[in-house]
Amino acid sequence: MTNDFTQISCLAGFQGQEVTLAGWLYQSRSSGKIQFLIIRDGTGLCQCILEKGKVSNKLFEQLKHLGQESSLTVTGIIHADERSVGGYELVVTDAEIISVTTDYPITPKSHGIDFLLKNRHLHLRSQRQWCIGKIRHTLIDAIRRFFNDNGFTLIDTPIFTAMAAEGEQTLFEADYFGTPMHLTQTGQLHLEAAAMSFGKVYCFGPTFRAEKSKTRRHLTEFWMVEPEVAFIDLNGLLELAENFVSFIAAKVLQNNKGELETLGANITALEQTKAPFYRLTYTEVVDILTSEKTQKFLTRQLENLQNTKQQLETQIGELENEQKGQIKQWQKDKIAAELIELNAALAELNTKIENNPKHAKLATEFQWGRDLGGSDETIISQMHDKPVFVTHYPKEAKAFYMKTDRENDKVVLNFDLLAPSGFGEIIGGSVREDDYDLLVARIKDYGLDIENYQWYLDLRKYGSVPHGGFGLGVERTIAWLTGERHIRQCIAFPRLMDKVYI
Ligand code: 4AD
Ligand code: MG
């Protein structure tokens, strides 16, 4: 089969002409003499209209009973039609069924998340997963473009490593021909070596963390991009990060507005993602968390959640009544699907209502010195309409390699970038300790085996310079951009703490 089919995304150039589409049957309905077939070809959706008499009666009947996700080619004339998905319609002159599907397990009715994860190999064909995949593609392209166009050299850092950088409790162990080894938690340490050769470098690859937390923000395998720069200070890093994040958000807005709309993303908020971002120190964040203003903010939030809950319950009640009435089967199915969605939203609201007082308590009782927890980050991030930098964390709460602030050695020269509207941390970064003796002391303080860090210490022996960098998590960034709550939806085949489905 030669691939001279027309792609749905290119139909604009084919008005009035005959084309052949090759794809899968996404949805269909029929009203006697006319059939409406929505075809999905990987580039978009197109409604195809088939009148009785245009093809053989046998084919007409076969198409009428063709199951969702059957594969086929459809030939016909293209017409612009604003009401149609994608803006074009195809009036069928011929069709060929390639493979008949019966009982496709994912129907237009809603399914629970567990079922969908188990069927991820098929669920990837859904509109939501397709939109997210397209956005991920743009994001990754934009990430590479930004660094490539700004003088950075790509360095591929190893996945097998003997070193721990982000805490030994989240290391995945591997048996490397009898020698214990880990899967990398970050490319940073090797990247620091490369920065001393190339000046500005980045690595981009999969990263592994044996996170023992089943939160919406954690995967055990995720993708991280990490730039590292020689001769840079904390301000330089913040500027780099805000220019970078503004650039990638703008690219996704430019290339994927349609997908963002389908996903219900907050486009107006994304359009505000422009430098400068907000800047707070950790100490200022502690003051905010423990303030009366925050308690009031959370009380107001609780009231809003309870109001929304009431509205949802009313809506569910009305639909349940409607369902009991004398209605057609397809209407019942439609209501059943809506009810599944609404009940899922209600369950989520209930969790938020339950968590609100717990999070309020954690915030009031927050003690200087602790790392910010997920709920603390969420609160700060909910209070802002643009990304927020939090800088100067207590050194005990952070990694061994971070440089202490020489004016106040209780804190380090680091930052996290919190995405707005409650999404939380998407970047972690810092200036690196460049003093040999101080770094040796830190490695020992953290109980790490100094032998494994000899080469890393060499970088402080042979032409040490101030340097630093950061890491941006791809899946968390997608969750923020798309408004998707859980990052397991932001990678095609997620690896979760409790389960690897396929
Ligand atoms: O803050 P982290 O741990 O920073 C580092 O790894 C540094 N070595 C980076 C550097 O300075 N070169 O991780 C960076 C980012 C987080 O902000 C988050 O977006 C993402 O990686 N991340 C995760 N994403 C998904 N699942 C997890 N378990 C993640 N852990 C971190
Ligand atoms: Mg972090």
Side-chain angles (χ1 to χ4, degrees):
M1 197 183 277
T2 59
N3 192 346
D4 50 6
F5 301 112
T6 304
Q7 297 198 316
I8 292 174
S9 59
C10 302
L11 290 181
F14 290 90
Q15 280 195 64
Q17 295 179 39
E18 188 178 73
V19 303
T20 300
L21 307 179
W24 296 263
L25 184 62
Y26 183 69
Q27 257 174 37
S28 66
R29 72 195 156 84
S30 134
S31 60
K33 291 195 165 57
I34 193 158
Q35 289 180 39
F36 301 90
L37 310 167
I38 297 183
I39 304 292
R40 180 182 74 69
D41 77 342
T43 74
L45 297 174
C46 179
Q47 172 157 277
C48 303
I49 298 179
L50 171 60
E51 273 180 63
K52 197 163 180 154
K54 296 283 171 171
V55 296
S56 73
N57 281 348
K58 186 175 162 213
L59 183 57
F60 189 86
E61 282 307 307
Q62 281 170 336
L63 287 168
K64 197 168 169 178
H65 299 110
L66 196 62
Q68 183 191 344
E69 288 302 321
S70 295
S71 50
L72 71 168
T73 65
V74 183
T75 303
I77 314 288
I78 295 299
H79 296 281
D81 180 6
E82 271 187 18
R83 293 157 309 162
S84 245
V85 270
Y88 295 92
E89 226 171 44
L90 182 147
V91 178
V92 181
T93 51
D94 197 8
E96 188 187 333
I97 295 169
I98 300 169
S99 169
V100 172
T101 295
T102 46
D103 301 331
Y104 186 66
I106 305 178
T107 61
K109 281 189 213 170
S110 286
H111 298 276
I113 182 69
D114 203 48
F115 177 85
L116 292 177
L117 283 170
K118 237 185 255 166
N119 286 284
R120 188 60 154 238
H121 54 300
L122 301 174
H123 191 225
L124 276 188
R125 305 178 190 192
S126 72
Q127 275 302 288
R128 266 197 96 76
Q129 281 302 311
W130 184 83
C131 288
I132 291 172
K134 285 294 191 187
I135 289 170
R136 185 177 171 113
H137 175 82
T138 301
L139 175 69
I140 288 176
D141 188 52
I143 287 172
R144 293 192 185 282
R145 194 170 302 263
F146 179 87
F147 291 118
N148 292 344
D149 290 352
N150 283 286
F152 284 74
T153 301
L154 173 75
I155 303 292
D156 295 316
T157 49
I159 285 175
F160 283 125
T161 163
M163 302 160 85
E166 304 299 332
E168 289 184 296
Q169 47 318 334
T170 65
L171 286 172
F172 271 115
E173 300 205 345
D175 175 358
Y176 196 78
F177 305 110
T179 308
M181 205 57 103
H182 317 296
L183 300 182
T184 186
Q185 297 172 309
T186 167
Q188 179 200 318
L189 305 189
H190 293 85
L191 211 52
E192 286 183 51
M196 301 305 136
S197 170
F198 297 87
K200 298 205 280 185
V201 289
Y202 74 102
C203 66
F204 193 4
T207 309
F208 305 88
R209 306 248 174 121
E211 304 270 8
K212 295 196 182 60
S213 48
K214 289 192 247 174
T215 76
R216 65 189 174 91
R217 289 182 179 151
H218 290 100
L219 295 169
T220 53
E221 179 180 321
F222 62 97
W223 282 66
M224 175 156 65
V225 59
E226 299 178 85
E228 188 74 27
V229 181
F231 301 104
I232 198 164
D233 60 11
L234 185 58
N235 269 330
L237 283 175
L238 299 186
E239 259 173 49
L240 177 66
E242 72 192 351
N243 288 335
F244 169 57
V245 170
S246 309
F247 177 83
I248 56 180
K251 276 285 172 210
V252 168
L253 275 167
Q254 188 187 330
N255 292 1
N256 301 94
K257 209 153 197 180
E259 287 82 21
L260 289 169
E261 277 165 6
T262 305
L263 294 169
N266 188 343
I267 291 177
T268 330
L270 288 183
E271 283 165 349
Q272 286 173 32
T273 311
K274 293 200 178 98
F277 297 166
Y278 297 109
R279 293 173 191 208
L280 298 171
T281 63
Y282 166 90
T283 305
E284 285 167 334
V285 165
V286 176
D287 289 342
I288 294 174
L289 285 174
T290 52
S291 71
E292 214 166 289
K293 185 176 148 224
T294 297
Q295 293 303 313
K296 282 196 184 132
F297 172 83
L298 289 171
T299 312
R300 241 190 346 266
Q301 191 180 62
L302 184 61
E303 284 162 11
N304 289 340
L305 289 170
Q306 274 157 344
N307 285 340
T308 317
K309 181 180 167 172
Q310 255 174 16
Q311 287 163 10
L312 246 176
E313 282 174 340
T314 316
Q315 209 181 341
I316 290 174
E318 283 168 4
L319 279 174
E320 280 170 350
N321 274 340
E322 226 178 290
Q323 208 178 20
K324 286 182 205 137
Q326 293 262 320
I327 51 172
K328 297 221 166 76
Q329 189 56 44
W330 69 266
Q331 287 171 314
K332 279 196 179 163
D333 288 349
K334 192 164 163 263
I335 291 177
E338 270 177 62
L339 278 173
I340 291 177
E341 299 266 326
L342 291 178
N343 280 314
L346 184 63
E348 205 174 287
L349 258 180
N350 280 331
T351 315
K352 282 189 186 163
I353 289 170
E354 233 172 77
N355 283 338
N356 176 290
K358 289 185 210 159
H359 293 170
K361 187 160 183 279
L362 282 174
T364 350
E365 292 171 1
F366 195 92
Q367 299 266 333
W368 197 98
R370 276 182 22 209
D371 198 3
L372 296 178
S375 66
D376 308 314
E377 282 177 4
T378 306
I379 294 169
I380 298 298
S381 142
Q382 277 167 341
M383 290 172 144
H384 292 86
D385 56 0
K386 269 211 257 187
V388 193
F389 286 117
V390 183
T391 64
H392 301 88
Y393 282 62
K395 74 175 171 205
E396 280 76 23
K398 288 291 170 186
F400 75 91
Y401 55 70
M402 293 185 180
K403 181 169 178 167
T404 48
D405 184 349
R406 301 304 197 243
E407 276 152 35
N408 169 14
D409 79 351
K410 289 195 170 54
V411 300
V412 281
L413 299 174
N414 82 313
F415 72 96
D416 276 359
L417 180 67
L418 311 184
S421 318
F423 283 97
E425 180 194 335
I426 56 170
I427 290 185
S430 73
V431 179
R432 322 303 186 190
E433 185 52 75
D434 50 30
D435 179 274
Y436 186 93
D437 295 327
L438 290 177
L439 187 57
V440 168
R442 293 273 279 166
I443 292 172
K444 289 188 179 154
D445 281 351
Y446 279 69
L448 298 166
D449 182 358
I450 198 105
E451 274 314 303
N452 287 334
Y453 295 83
Q454 287 307 340
W455 70 258
Y456 186 66
L457 284 163
D458 272 357
L459 307 176
R460 278 71 180 164
K461 222 157 73 183
Y462 305 115
S464 187
V465 299
H467 66 286
F470 59 82
L472 169 128
V474 166
E475 292 75 17
R476 288 204 196 167
T477 305
I478 297 171
W480 160 55
L481 293 170
T482 60
E484 181 61 60
R485 245 186 72 74
H486 205 301
I487 64 169
R488 67 187 164 208
Q489 301 302 65
C490 301
I491 183 164
F493 300 102
R495 268 73 188 106
L496 305 166
M497 178 207 155
D498 50 343
K499 216 162 190 172
V500 171
Y501 288 85
I502 64 170

